[in-house]
Amino acid sequence: MKPIGVFDSGVGGLTVVKELIRQLPYEDIIYFGDTARVPYGIKSKETVVRFSIENTLFLLKHDVKLICVACNTVSSVALPSIKSHFRIPLVGVISSAVREAVYATQNKYIGVIGTRGTIDSRTYEKEIRGLDPQIKIKTVACPLFVPFAEEGWLSGKVVLEVAKKYLKPIKDSGCDTVILGCTHYPLLKPVIKEVLADKVKLIDSAKQVAMEVKGILACEGLLSKNRKKAKHKFYVSDNTAWFSDVAKKFLGEPLGKVKKVNNV
Ligand code: DGL
């Protein structure tokens, strides 16, 4: 009966929550968006590890049974460290996206876009090569996509121009599959699609991550037996009104009260 915990630096993790709600409709969810300290993608590893440990401790206070790290930056630079501090199942977002992309690519060329932290960590390259050393990889950091998503700027001329500039090396590379290696980026999917054209397959890890969470809960005998409407609670570290707006637009349902927490 315990809830699933999910955290991200801001609204990006909601792309994973949407899929968790779809696949696990009876599971209660506690979401934490660290909106006071977003973006994580331009911060040092030490800082991201510290924030992630604090976020994990916050969710543990809510007695969660599993934590989904719905942030690629945390998953790529901090997951091993946080795993070494806690015994609770912690599910990151990298491996599931990698598995799907390796399976999807026909020309054995994968593009990865993400925050600077994620791209510089080279975690995606290591994981892709671990599954198939023959695959070519083109990686590009797109740091401005996160503030666009946080501001709810999901379309329009400015976003399109920035997307064209960032995505040019990916487009020119000829890769046929692109991993959206940041949970904020699915919010910008229409613009990314417009730039890359339809023949490029976009992989966003949300669906696979939700399947992985479901699998772990089933294996551990932790699936909820509740058949009543599940409760979804949202916490942020700043700016609740604006978070509710962006989240409502994205999840397509009102969130109820978003609570602000002062000390994570
Ligand atoms: N949504 C996060 C990610 O997947 C973090 C973005 C950020 O805070 O820079 O990387």
Side-chain angles (χ1 to χ4, degrees):
M1 299 299 280
K2 293 179 179 185
I4 296 172
V6 182
F7 78 84
D8 177 43
S9 58
V11 295
L14 294 173
T15 57
V16 175
V17 167
K18 191 172 184 173
E19 200 51 45
L20 284 170
I21 294 175
R22 202 182 65 79
Q23 292 191 35
L24 294 160
Y26 300 117
E27 297 294 336
D28 292 343
I29 295 174
I30 307 265
Y31 182 86
F32 176 66
D34 196 4
T35 48
R37 304 191 289 195
V38 67
Y40 281 12
I42 52 167
K43 299 197 167 78
S44 69
K45 179 177 170 175
E46 294 67 40
T47 301
V48 175
V49 169
R50 177 162 58 84
F51 290 174
S52 307
I53 289 176
E54 288 166 4
N55 300 346
T56 303
L57 287 168
F58 170 78
L59 290 172
L60 287 175
K61 273 193 243 154
H62 289 266
D63 204 19
V64 295
K65 58 186 169 188
L66 172 149
I67 293 178
C68 180
V69 178
C71 174
N72 286 261
T73 309
V74 174
S75 302
S76 54
V77 307
L79 197 56
S81 307
I82 39 179
K83 276 190 169 161
S84 69
H85 283 82
F86 301 99
R87 288 220 312 259
I88 185 159
L90 280 148
V91 182
V93 284
I94 310 276
S95 339
S96 34
V98 166
R99 273 195 303 273
E100 201 184 341
V102 168
Y103 181 75
T105 180
Q106 299 283 312
N107 70 357
K108 300 254 174 205
Y109 201 164
I110 297 177
V112 182
I113 55 173
T115 64
R116 241 192 258 298
T118 299
I119 297 303
D120 290 351
S121 75
R122 312 194 77 156
T123 306
Y124 271 105
E125 279 144 294
K126 284 175 218 146
E127 295 240 359
I128 293 170
R129 296 243 154 79
L131 286 187
D132 186 343
Q134 308 299 328
I135 288 182
K136 284 200 285 176
I137 305 160
K138 180 84 201 165
T139 62
V140 175
C142 310
L144 288 174
F145 282 178
V146 171
F148 281 148
E150 289 288 325
E151 282 296 318
W153 280 33
L154 309 181
S155 60
K157 212 166 145 197
V158 176
V159 187
L160 183 64
E161 281 313 307
V162 172
K164 277 187 190 158
K165 192 166 165 66
Y166 276 150
L167 299 174
K168 188 168 184 313
I170 295 277
K171 207 172 169 172
D172 293 349
S173 72
C175 58
D176 67 352
T177 304
V178 172
I179 298 178
L180 304 180
C182 171
T183 50
H184 282 71
Y185 295 1
L187 294 161
L188 296 163
K189 216 173 189 171
V191 178
I192 297 172
K193 246 193 159 104
E194 188 176 336
V195 176
L196 292 179
D198 276 346
K199 57 182 193 311
V200 176
K201 186 161 192 258
L202 299 183
I203 307 286
D204 112 40
S205 51
K207 205 181 282 173
Q208 301 291 329
V209 172
M211 272 165 66
E212 196 176 330
V213 168
K214 194 174 177 178
I216 295 173
L217 293 180
C219 272
E220 307 277 330
L222 292 174
L223 280 169
S224 169
K225 305 211 169 32
N226 184 11
R227 288 296 170 266
K228 285 187 283 189
K229 196 171 158 29
K231 292 193 273 301
H232 306 137
K233 290 191 184 151
F234 297 86
Y235 294 87
V236 290
S237 45
D238 206 357
N239 245 334
T240 51
W242 140 97
F243 177 90
S244 302
D245 273 5
V246 179
K248 191 164 79 191
K249 249 192 251 160
F250 179 67
L251 288 180
E253 58 173 83
L255 295 192
K257 203 166 154 45
V258 176
K259 289 199 185 126
K260 179 168 173 250
V261 279
N262 292 321
N263 297 308
V264 202

